[in-house]
């Protein structure tokens, strides 16, 4: 689990990042990156019902959170929202990591 300082929880922050941030997409997810409001990198995850039922959505969210936690040192300070696409539901952890990490470390 990510530390509290590294999480985005307010709806207004999600909206700001998705609407005004730069976007990078792949087959498994779309990553929105905006200028940071804090001194640390912050992350939020959007996993809609199109991805699957509650069990699958939570599994995808936990996997994304673990990927971010492991790669936290390689990611520049920014506010980042990861929006999972339906293909993320069937991807294993290694495939998900290979698809997400390049999108997050890409410099805007």
């Amino acid at each position: 689990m990510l530390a509290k300082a590294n999480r985005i929880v307010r709806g207004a922050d999600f909206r700001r990042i998705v609407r005004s941030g730069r976007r990078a997409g792949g087959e498994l997810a779309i990553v929105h990156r905006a200028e940071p409001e804090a001194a640390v990198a912050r992350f939020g995850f959007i996993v809609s019902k199109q991805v699957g039922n509650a069990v699958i959505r939570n599994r995808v969210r936990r996997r994304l959170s673990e990927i971010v936690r492991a790669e936290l040192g390689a990611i520049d300070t920014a506010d980042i929202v990861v929006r999972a696409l339906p293909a993320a539901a069937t991807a294993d952890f290694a495939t998900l990591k290979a698809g997400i990490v390049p999108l997050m470390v890409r410099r805007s």
Side-chain angles (χ1 to χ4, degrees), residues 2-8 38-43 72 78-79:
L2 285 171
K4 188 171 184 173
N6 295 113
R7 285 185 258 161
I8 298 170
V40 296
R42 298 188 315 153
F43 300 89
L72 199 54
D79 287 344

Side-chain angles (χ1 to χ4, degrees), residues 5-78:
N6 295 113
R7 285 185 258 161
I8 298 170
V9 293
R10 291 182 33 226
D13 289 337
F14 275 94
R15 282 189 294 279
R16 176 186 62 83
I17 296 164
V18 170
R19 289 179 182 164
S20 67
R22 296 186 59 92
R23 185 173 59 220
E27 352 180 306
L28 302 174
I30 296 172
V31 176
H32 301 270
R33 174 189 289 265
E35 291 299 319
E37 285 191 349
V40 296
R42 298 188 315 153
F43 300 89
F45 306 102
I46 299 172
V47 185
S48 74
K49 287 185 179 181
Q50 291 179 344
V51 174
N53 63 24
V55 173
I56 293 170
R57 290 194 310 268
N58 286 325
R59 181 183 310 134
V60 169
R61 188 176 296 114
R62 284 192 310 270
R63 287 179 175 177
L64 290 172
S65 179
E66 179 59 27
I67 290 167
V68 167
R69 192 189 63 74
E71 298 293 325
L72 199 54
I75 300 170
D76 292 336
T77 302

